[in-house]
Amino acid sequence: ALAPRCGWVLPGLEQRLAVPAVVSPASARPYAAAAKTAKKDAPRSRQEKVKEKRPPRRRPLMSKPVDDVYLTWLYKRPCYQLEQAVGMLKSFQELDFTHPKQFVYINVFLDMALQKKKKVDPFSSSVTLPHRFTDEVNKVLVFTENEQEAEVAREHGAAIVGGVELIKWILEDEIQADFYVAVPAIMPKLIPLRNKLRRKYPATRRNSLGSDIPKMLQFFRECHEYTVEDENIIKTRIARLDMPTEHIIANLKTIIHDICTYKPSNFDPIVRKLVIRSSTSEGLLLNLDGILPQVEKVEEKEEQNAADEDQQKPVQESVST
């Protein structure tokens, strides 16, 4: 700086003031490069530290709580017998003062796996329950071009009866039904509806294709339909809560036995977990013993009997000789 009193300049300062010095960022901040390398190395060291940390051990769940009030996530979910669970649902309704005629539902969790990475395809099925719980009647459409068959279909409660003229209205969504039934003579003309109806397309394996129109109508007008959702879950209603316990159990077993027919018995059971609930209650996990069909045990008994017979044959032969 200039000296205000003497008016002279320090030697060499004039040149410094005239030409500003160019300072490199490296020389101005010698720690910059080291800071950058440190930042690059910081995430790696943190990741290594995370890897070195062992995952926390999860405390094993306890079986039964001792007190009436407890933390549910510290204990295993209780499993109930079917008759006991239905009785609990009825008691919940009385304590909560809810509607006595509310529906009873089941959530069925399925094991769809087969061998060699194959699995059971999601399916839908219809079954006749031993005890009906609703007055609703399904809307059934009958395909036939025979006037006598059409008259029989109308007499037995068909909602819509017709032939090829119905194809256009179905494709345009002008006509819709819960189920579609057909006689064999008209099937070659219904091919345009295959992609539209998909699973509801008349077929022999679905019992929706045949010559006995009254029998098909009686089944589909009163049947109960269920479908696999999210690849492995079935959610459906099975009864009303005010029905006798025996009727609720019979309806549940009928649906479960029908579900089990979609997987061969030589594999693991298709039903993995079963939960029952009402419209206003919590879900109760059920014990599967006594609910699933006893197909495997019967086969084992047959194998044991065959083995016993094979062992007895040599003994009998030796005695006869």
Side-chain angles (χ1 to χ4, degrees):
L2 296 175
R5 294 183 180 179
C6 303
W8 54 272
V9 181
L10 293 174
L13 182 60
E14 184 178 1
Q15 295 179 356
R16 294 180 182 180
L17 292 176
V19 181
V22 178
V23 181
S24 64
S27 60
R29 294 186 299 168
Y31 57 86
K36 290 182 180 180
T37 55
K39 289 181 180 179
K40 290 182 181 179
D41 296 339
R44 296 179 183 176
S45 60
R46 290 176 184 174
Q47 291 177 359
E48 292 176 357
K49 290 180 180 179
V50 171
K51 290 181 180 179
E52 292 177 357
K53 290 183 179 179
R54 295 181 179 179
R57 294 183 180 180
R58 186 174 181 179
R59 184 178 179 181
L61 298 178
M62 293 177 282
S63 57
K64 293 183 179 180
V66 180
D67 301 326
D68 295 335
V69 180
Y70 58 93
L71 299 176
T72 56
W73 58 83
L74 296 180
Y75 295 87
K76 296 179 181 179
R77 186 174 183 179
C79 188
Y80 304 97
Q81 297 296 329
L82 178 55
E83 187 173 356
Q84 179 187 7
V86 175
M88 292 176 65
L89 294 181
K90 290 180 177 290
S91 63
F92 293 160
Q93 181 271 322
E94 294 176 357
L95 294 174
D96 297 337
F97 297 99
T98 54
H99 197 269
K101 293 186 177 182
Q102 57 186 291
F103 289 114
V104 178
Y105 298 84
I106 57 172
N107 294 351
V108 189
F109 299 85
L110 306 178
D111 180 8
M112 310 283 277
L114 298 173
Q115 65 184 21
K116 294 183 179 179
K117 297 183 179 181
K118 295 183 180 180
K119 63 179 181 178
V120 180
D121 295 329
F123 56 89
S124 62
S125 179
S126 302
V127 62
T128 301
L129 298 179
H131 306 283
R132 295 196 65 202
F133 58 91
T134 178
D135 297 331
E136 299 175 0
V137 178
N138 298 320
K139 185 179 179 180
V140 184
L141 185 148
V142 179
F143 289 107
T144 180
E145 293 181 332
N146 189 310
E147 294 182 1
Q148 295 180 354
E149 292 177 345
E151 187 63 26
V152 171
R154 294 188 186 96
E155 292 176 357
H156 287 81
I160 303 172
V161 182
V164 184
E165 70 277 2
L166 299 178
I167 295 178
K168 177 182 177 182
W169 302 107
I170 295 173
L171 292 174
E172 296 178 356
D173 293 329
E174 295 292 335
I175 294 178
Q176 294 180 352
D178 297 321
F179 296 98
Y180 299 84
V181 171
V183 295
I186 199 174
M187 284 305 296
K189 302 178 182 179
L190 301 181
I191 295 177
L193 294 176
R194 184 184 294 274
N195 294 332
K196 179 68 175 179
L197 300 182
R198 295 185 180 181
R199 293 179 180 176
K200 294 186 177 181
Y201 188 76
T204 306
R205 60 188 178 88
R206 299 189 186 98
N207 299 321
S208 57
L209 175 61
S211 302
D212 194 346
I213 295 177
K215 182 179 179 180
M216 292 188 295
L217 283 173
Q218 182 180 3
F219 174 77
F220 286 105
R221 290 181 77 245
E222 300 178 357
C223 70
H224 178 74
E225 185 181 22
Y226 63 87
T227 306
V228 176
E229 305 174 5
D230 299 329
E231 296 185 356
N232 64 341
I233 301 176
I234 295 176
K235 300 178 182 179
T236 182
R237 57 186 185 180
I238 61 170
R240 288 189 182 273
L241 195 56
D242 62 335
M243 293 173 59
T245 302
E246 297 78 11
H247 294 182
I248 298 176
I249 293 175
N251 285 357
L252 182 144
K253 288 186 176 181
T254 301
I255 295 177
I256 295 299
H257 287 202
D258 187 72
I259 293 172
C260 291
T261 59
Y262 284 86
K263 188 175 182 180
S265 59
N266 55 341
F267 292 96
D268 294 333
I270 189 172
V271 178
R272 182 171 54 88
K273 187 170 67 172
L274 179 59
V275 177
I276 188 172
R277 65 177 180 86
S278 66
S279 301
T280 59
S281 73
E282 61 177 301
L284 302 177
L285 182 64
L286 295 179
N287 187 353
L288 297 177
D289 294 339
I291 299 178
L292 301 181
Q294 305 297 326
V295 178
E296 297 179 354
K297 293 183 179 181
V298 173
E299 293 179 353
E300 291 177 358
K301 288 182 179 179
E302 291 178 354
E303 292 177 357
Q304 291 179 358
N305 294 335
D308 295 339
E309 291 178 358
D310 294 338
Q311 291 178 0
Q312 291 176 1
K313 284 180 181 180
V315 176
Q316 293 177 357
E317 291 176 357
S318 60
V319 172
S320 60
T321 54

